Amino acid sequence: MKYNTREDVQNLKIKFCNEIENLFQNDETIEFNNPFAVYLTEENTYDNSVVKAPFIVKRMTGGKFLEGNTSSGEYLDDLSTYDLEDIVEVAYILDTVGDKQYKILQDE
């Protein structure tokens, strides 16, 4: 199957996100066996250019919301898989959960 347009790739990314979300219950939190990085576009405050900053993902809730730390150490728990900019990152998450490379966390 060939994906020739941005719209085709965007639709595939949404399909991957839906597949991830459907694997988990809304309140279920998992912790990945190996944290990984996704990259978020941020404005460089020094010269107003745009840079890709790493976000280290450690957990996911409801098959949708990623938790972890930004490059500056700020903790975030509301980054949606649907907001990821790169389809490869979404595909990696789908592959990781498909291989069950996580543990389900109990209510804390």
Side-chain angles (χ1 to χ4, degrees):
M1 181 176 269
K2 291 175 72 175
Y3 296 95
N4 297 321
T5 66
R6 283 184 174 266
E7 184 178 343
D8 290 340
V9 173
Q10 181 65 18
N11 289 338
L12 183 61
K13 185 182 98 166
I14 291 170
K15 178 183 175 198
F16 288 170
C17 289
N18 289 338
E19 288 180 31
I20 294 166
E21 190 172 2
N22 290 334
L23 292 172
F24 300 96
Q25 297 176 11
N26 284 338
D27 59 349
E28 192 169 42
T29 299
I30 64 167
E31 184 173 86
F32 294 100
N33 294 346
N34 298 301
F36 57 91
V38 296
Y39 293 86
L40 307 174
T41 300
E42 294 182 354
E43 185 176 317
N44 183 342
T45 56
Y46 296 109
D47 63 5
N48 294 328
S49 63
V50 175
V51 297
K52 293 279 192 169
F55 175 75
I56 306 301
V57 178
K58 298 175 184 173
R59 295 179 177 181
M60 181 171 61
T61 300
K64 183 176 178 180
F65 294 105
L66 304 174
E67 299 178 37
N69 296 90
T70 65
S71 58
S72 62
E74 179 184 1
Y75 179 79
L76 296 177
D77 63 359
D78 61 352
L79 176 64
S80 171
T81 55
Y82 294 89
D83 293 332
L84 295 176
E85 299 166 16
D86 192 339
I87 190 173
V88 173
E89 295 169 344
V90 177
Y92 177 82
I93 295 169
L94 180 58
D95 188 48
T96 299
V97 297
D99 288 344
K100 302 213 181 289
Q101 296 180 22
Y102 62 87
K103 63 182 174 186
I104 297 174
L105 299 178
Q106 302 299 323
D107 291 336
E108 297 176 345

